[in-house]
Amino acid sequence: MAERRLRILVIEDEMLVAMNIEDMLLELGHEVAGLAGRLEHALALARDSAFDLAMLDVNLAGEPSFPVAQVLAERGIPFLFATGYGTKGISEPYRDRPVLQKPFRATDLSDILRSMTV
Amino acid sequence: MASTSLQRPHSDDEMGMSARIRAFDWAATPVGPMRDWPQSLRFAFDLCEHSSFPTAIYWGPDLRLLYNDAWAPIPGERHPAALGQPAREVWADIWPIIEPQFRQVIESKSGFAGYQQMLPMVRDGVEQETYWNYSFTPLFGDDGEVAGVLNQGNEITSTVLAERRMAFQIALADRLRGFGDPESIKATATAMLGEYLGAARVGYAEIDAEQGLVSVRSDWTRDTGVRSLAGGNTAIQAFGPAASQYLRSGETLMVPDFRALGDASEAADIWERIGSRAAIIVPLVREGELKAVLYVHDEQPREWKRSDAAMARDVAERTWEAVERAQVEQSLRASEDHYRHAVELHPQVSWTADASGRTTLMSWHWEEWTGTSGVSDDWHDGIHPDDKARQEEAWRRAVETGEAYDVEYRLRRRDAGHRWVRSRANPRRDAAGNIMLWYGVIEDIHDRKVAEEHQRLLINELNHRVKNTLATVQAIAFQTLRGDISLVDARRRFEARLMALSRAHNLLTEQNWEGALLEKVVRDATEYLAQDRFEISGDSLWLAPRAALALALALHELGTNAAKYGALSNETGRVAIRWTMDAGGLRIDWKEQGGPRVAEPAGRGFGSRLIERGLAADLGGPARLLFEPDGLRCIIEASLQEIQVREDNLG
């Protein structure tokens, strides 16, 4: 892959989907910097770990992931949402962030990552 | 009536009183011949003869009468025979009253004056109340004793009766003003008229023109001896064609004596049956239609006076008007009452506003809801701050354009909560098209709004779940198709995994997606395998949907692996699935025994990854695969906080 190798934090509460994303990212030549399916764990990783970009599921076992988005925004780390809700499920002030509607193809993920790191 | 008598022209054959007096044979009476009359009598006669005021002289021991032309009508049909007759004989009817007055004048030798004196005179064979102002003046004989009495006076009956009528009418008007219902008005008017006329029975009958019926709701009777006609319905025809024809003319009918009518028709029987000999009947005709009849009955023959008929007519008209007014008021009240109930009993706020947009009326619900009056500028205070601008703009536009107003907003309740309402209004215009008033209604649509919102959330949630499920299916497909695998194998595995997911969905749907029993999840996931080779035990625990799904997929992978390579791949192997709980966690122990010897595989397949990586995320604890030589062991640990659904939360 010609693309830059990214360290990506994956916040996703569905284990199968998380695994799938993980596989997709690996195939695209990126690295999974961390994986969390619960808000608390996600917040800890968002605050303290080192990574270039984050993928956020909106609903984490019934809790919205926006506090994670806030941490990422504060740290200035780019992130995207991957959600079954689509763009309508994103609340202010994150409406202008990139959104991947589940389910998505590997190429969709690749495109959006490229657009975010150009 | 003295005044009219004066104006009445004498007929040619009528002899003047002067001539009659001169022609009278006074010598045959105690008065004596005219030439012998004493000075005082001559003087009095002179005065009497030339006065144009009613004047009479009573002279001598038995008070013989002589009188002038003006006085002549006073004794009625007794004139001219009364001339020269003794007072006692002429005035037999009123003698008990005037005799003491004569005696007083003679004995005291001084004059007497009576004002508004009632004298019950017999006129036309009927005793009538008459009223008089008159004087008795003593006339002295030569011996200085009272020898005669000069009488001057005039009748004031019509004045007295007119005053009485007026007093009656004022009293009637006063009484009727106080009543609001038609029946009280009729009862009062008929009773007052009955007492005034001294009648036996007075009633107010209503006519149903369509049915041709006369009906009496209630009537007045003088005493219990007189039969009431109340509650009766009589066909108009029963009174005979002449009577109904007459009633329709609208003219007042006076009957002094029904028997004297000589009416042989069956109509005459009616009057006999109800005990009426005399009657005044006042038909009330409105717009050409006979509406009501006021009747005055007497059980004796009676010479009604025109004034009686006029009074009856007057009472009938006033009663009609009062009854009409009362009926209109009653129906207005009923209509207002109806409106008030319609408005007040509905769980809606009705309101009105003037053409400038200011509210003029607001039903009490508004204040009940918001704690403000809602009238004028107060209105906007009851509206949620976020909706105020939108509502004000909608109202401003409606008032400007005259188009219907229809807006939804949240109403601020006095208990600090909010409720969604829909407010609508339409203008009422005058003939020129100008808006007179806006009529509005505010309706509580909170439950609908909440339901709509709930539905929206449900659809969003459903969409989310479907998308997530598709993502899961995508992941299963992706993972199944990885690596070196034949298409046949891939299809079989994919289908088996989809079915495992589907079964877990079924389990959750049974419980409305609130949770599933761990034991059921375990049995369900192993059901398609040899059940008799499983040993399943553990305490009852409700799993949250996510945990149930994850565990079902993991157990499916373990089962498939056991059937293919492990304890279930031969005829003797067994699988024990046991779980225990302690304060913080659940521990599930999958242990295979009796199968082929186990060695750790070189790589990890989908199942292994699912269990070791995925379960940890979904169950909040580590899951380990132990390749023990006597059989595979899988220890799944989970945080109860993550996976448990408390039983009292289940629907």
Side-chain angles (χ1 to χ4, degrees):
Chain A
M1 290 270 166
E3 286 159 50
R4 179 161 72 93
R5 182 181 170 88
L6 297 169
R7 291 168 302 165
I8 297 176
L9 175 65
V10 178
I11 308 297
E12 168 60 60
D13 67 339
E14 294 276 348
M15 61 168 181
L16 272 169
V17 178
M19 281 170 61
N20 205 34
I21 291 172
E22 196 177 0
D23 288 345
M24 283 184 184
L25 290 173
L26 291 174
E27 277 180 16
L28 290 172
H30 300 298
E31 179 188 335
V32 175
L35 178 64
R38 293 293 180 278
L39 181 61
E40 215 171 305
H41 187 203
L43 276 172
L45 291 180
R47 272 192 215 105
D48 304 327
S49 62
F51 53 93
D52 305 311
L53 189 144
M55 286 180 70
L56 288 183
D57 186 6
V58 171
N59 184 326
L60 298 178
E63 290 178 296
S65 65
F66 300 117
V68 181
Q70 192 184 342
V71 169
L72 296 172
E74 279 164 13
R75 285 184 69 181
I77 298 172
F79 60 93
L80 66 93
F81 290 105
T83 171
Y85 288 117
T87 47
K88 275 192 287 184
I90 311 295
S91 68
E92 289 289 359
Y94 307 112
R95 290 255 165 87
D96 55 348
R97 298 286 176 166
V99 175
L100 267 179
Q101 162 99 50
K102 286 182 193 170
F104 52 83
R105 296 171 298 179
T107 54
D108 298 325
L109 180 57
S110 168
D111 289 347
I112 207 164
L113 290 176
R114 195 180 297 121
S115 76
M116 289 173 71
T117 52
V118 162
Chain B
M1 209 192 264
S3 56
T4 40
S5 307
L6 281 172
Q7 289 158 0
R8 195 169 67 191
H10 292 192
S11 58
D12 292 342
D13 60 349
E14 200 172 323
M15 204 176 180
M17 283 311 295
S18 291
R20 286 186 194 278
I21 291 167
R22 287 173 209 288
F24 193 81
D25 180 12
W26 295 105
T29 72
V31 180
M34 281 187 87
R35 64 178 179 276
D36 296 341
W37 284 4
Q39 191 58 37
S40 59
L41 180 54
R42 283 175 186 280
F43 177 75
F45 173 61
D46 197 36
L47 185 125
C48 172
E49 186 179 20
H50 295 101
S51 175
S52 54
F53 195 74
T55 308
I57 298 163
Y58 296 92
W59 190 265
D62 56 357
L63 298 169
R64 295 285 171 148
L65 175 63
L66 55 155
Y67 52 92
N68 65 5
D69 288 328
W71 199 89
I74 288 174
E77 64 267 34
R78 282 169 264 206
H79 166 75
L83 184 65
Q85 302 306 307
R88 175 194 292 273
E89 286 170 28
V90 174
W91 294 123
D93 47 355
I94 58 172
W95 192 244
I97 295 169
I98 61 174
E99 193 268 343
Q101 296 169 349
F102 276 120
R103 202 170 52 228
Q104 183 197 328
V105 171
I106 293 163
E107 284 171 5
S108 70
K109 298 181 183 179
S110 56
F112 163 86
Y115 299 99
Q116 293 199 15
Q117 173 70 56
M118 196 283 278
L119 298 174
M121 282 185 192
V122 175
R123 284 173 170 171
D124 302 323
V126 182
E127 187 183 281
Q128 296 181 14
E129 282 186 14
T130 64
Y131 292 85
W132 303 85
N133 287 341
Y134 60 94
S135 65
F136 286 161
T137 311
L139 297 169
F140 296 92
D142 294 337
D143 59 357
E145 293 300 313
V146 176
V149 173
L150 179 75
N151 164 231
Q152 286 190 300
N154 61 330
E155 185 175 1
I156 54 164
T157 304
S158 60
T159 314
V160 168
L161 293 184
E163 278 173 10
R164 195 184 283 181
R165 270 199 301 278
M166 191 164 291
F168 173 83
Q169 284 164 335
I170 290 169
L172 180 68
D174 281 350
R175 295 282 301 278
L176 294 190
R177 199 173 300 135
F179 292 115
D181 75 295
E183 291 314 305
S184 302
I185 288 165
K186 290 179 212 165
T188 303
T190 53
M192 285 182 76
L193 181 64
E195 276 157 20
Y196 178 80
L197 293 179
R201 182 194 299 121
V202 178
Y204 186 89
E206 260 127 15
I207 312 289
D208 185 336
E210 257 175 52
Q211 310 243 11
L213 283 181
V214 186
S215 60
V216 180
R217 291 247 187 110
S218 64
D219 63 1
W220 172 87
T221 54
R222 188 179 53 219
D223 51 55
T224 49
V226 181
R227 206 181 112 196
S228 166
L229 304 182
N233 285 309
T234 312
I236 291 184
Q237 274 85 359
F239 295 94
S244 55
Q245 186 65 36
Y246 188 88
L247 287 175
R248 268 186 271 278
S249 79
E251 285 192 38
T252 305
L253 175 68
M254 285 189 287
V255 182
D257 188 353
F258 283 111
R259 285 186 202 164
L261 290 178
D263 186 353
S265 75
E266 57 184 299
D269 294 345
I270 286 182
W271 306 110
E272 292 289 337
R273 269 208 306 282
I274 63 174
S276 286
R277 282 290 294 276
I280 298 175
I281 293 166
V282 186
L284 288 166
V285 175
R286 293 291 182 273
E287 289 148 5
E289 205 170 282
L290 180 62
K291 299 281 192 186
V293 168
L294 181 122
Y295 57 85
V296 180
H297 290 168
D298 220 329
E299 69 265 72
Q300 303 302 328
R302 179 161 171 178
E303 280 300 329
W304 302 102
K305 282 177 281 193
R306 297 180 65 81
S307 60
D308 295 340
M311 183 57 72
R313 155 83 44 197
D314 184 65
V315 171
E317 300 279 356
R318 283 165 192 267
T319 305
W320 167 267
E321 280 164 24
V323 165
E324 285 284 282
R325 197 167 53 239
Q327 278 166 350
V328 167
E329 278 168 10
Q330 242 176 17
S331 76
L332 242 176
R333 265 199 306 277
S335 156
E336 272 171 8
D337 199 46
H338 171 75
Y339 173 77
R340 197 179 59 75
H341 276 82
V343 166
E344 300 289 316
L345 292 183
H346 271 280
Q348 295 176 333
V349 174
S350 297
W351 54 274
T352 57
D354 62 21
S356 76
R358 286 168 61 91
T359 49
T360 50
L361 210 111
M362 201 50 98
S363 73
W364 58 272
H365 295 293
W366 178 277
E367 188 157 5
E368 193 191 56
W369 288 356
T370 66
T372 65
S373 81
V375 173
S376 182
D377 297 333
D378 211 8
W379 185 9
H380 304 289
D381 294 342
I383 294 169
H384 191 291
D386 293 353
D387 298 343
K388 223 167 176 171
R390 194 163 47 80
Q391 179 274 332
E392 279 174 3
E393 169 59 19
W395 181 232
R396 192 191 55 73
R397 201 169 50 242
V399 168
E400 261 179 34
T401 62
E403 285 166 14
Y405 164 71
D406 188 348
V407 68
E408 294 179 354
Y409 57 81
R410 280 161 293 177
L411 202 63
R412 193 158 66 186
R413 294 185 58 102
R414 60 163 62 186
D415 59 13
H418 286 95
R419 282 188 81 79
W420 276 100
V421 297
R422 180 180 182 184
S423 185
R424 279 175 289 179
N426 281 300
R428 184 166 68 121
R429 297 170 187 277
D430 62 15
N434 299 312
I435 292 173
M436 297 161 71
L437 212 56
W438 287 85
Y439 289 85
V441 66
I442 299 169
E443 153 192 22
D444 186 320
I445 57 164
H446 195 74
D447 292 344
R448 194 193 86 199
K449 276 286 194 186
V450 167
E452 279 174 4
E453 175 63 14
H454 185 62
Q455 191 175 33
R456 199 179 59 76
L457 285 175
L458 275 183
I459 289 171
N460 275 353
E461 184 56 29
L462 178 68
N463 183 50
H464 172 241
R465 280 196 189 174
V466 168
K467 291 291 166 58
N468 273 344
T469 303
L470 287 176
T472 303
V473 170
Q474 180 193 27
I476 290 173
F478 195 89
Q479 297 298 332
T480 305
L481 295 169
R482 278 166 68 96
D484 190 15
I485 185 169
S486 74
L487 197 58
V488 176
D489 260 0
R491 203 178 84 182
R492 195 172 40 75
R493 285 187 200 180
F494 180 67
E495 281 171 351
R497 283 168 179 155
L498 264 194
M499 292 320 288
L501 185 66
S502 172
R503 278 197 303 274
H505 272 228
N506 283 346
L507 263 188
L508 288 166
T509 303
E510 274 173 27
Q511 292 298 328
N512 210 20
W513 275 79
E514 281 158 347
L517 269 175
L518 172 56
E519 187 181 338
K520 281 204 94 172
V521 173
V522 171
R523 290 195 183 281
D524 201 65
T526 54
E527 198 177 40
Y528 67 103
L529 301 166
Q531 275 289 305
D532 57 335
R533 291 163 77 178
F534 281 90
E535 186 190 322
I536 297 169
S537 64
D539 293 333
S540 171
L541 175 69
W542 281 95
L543 294 176
R546 179 183 311 275
L549 282 175
L551 201 58
L553 285 176
L555 290 170
H556 168 78
E557 295 303 323
L558 285 170
T560 306
N561 185 70
K564 206 166 178 187
Y565 311 108
L568 303 180
S569 64
N570 65 16
E571 299 302 314
T572 54
R574 297 187 64 79
V575 181
I577 309 172
R578 299 192 182 87
W579 60 92
T580 51
M581 279 177 282
D582 58 29
L586 166 73
R587 181 190 160 101
I588 303 171
D589 188 350
W590 169 291
K591 174 62 184 168
E592 298 176 26
Q593 272 182 319
R597 270 192 80 78
V598 174
E600 179 146 7
R604 287 288 199 263
F606 170 64
S608 306
R609 289 181 67 215
L610 180 83
I611 291 163
E612 288 179 321
R613 299 279 315 269
L615 274 185
D618 273 334
L619 303 182
R624 285 165 291 154
L625 282 169
L626 304 172
F627 299 93
E628 295 173 355
D630 63 332
L632 182 78
R633 163 164 260 158
C634 178
I635 296 171
I636 301 165
E637 288 176 80
S639 150
L640 279 180
Q641 202 191 329
E642 284 287 344
I643 62 167
Q644 191 174 15
V645 180
R646 285 179 49 192
E647 276 183 53
D648 49 343
N649 283 350
L650 293 171

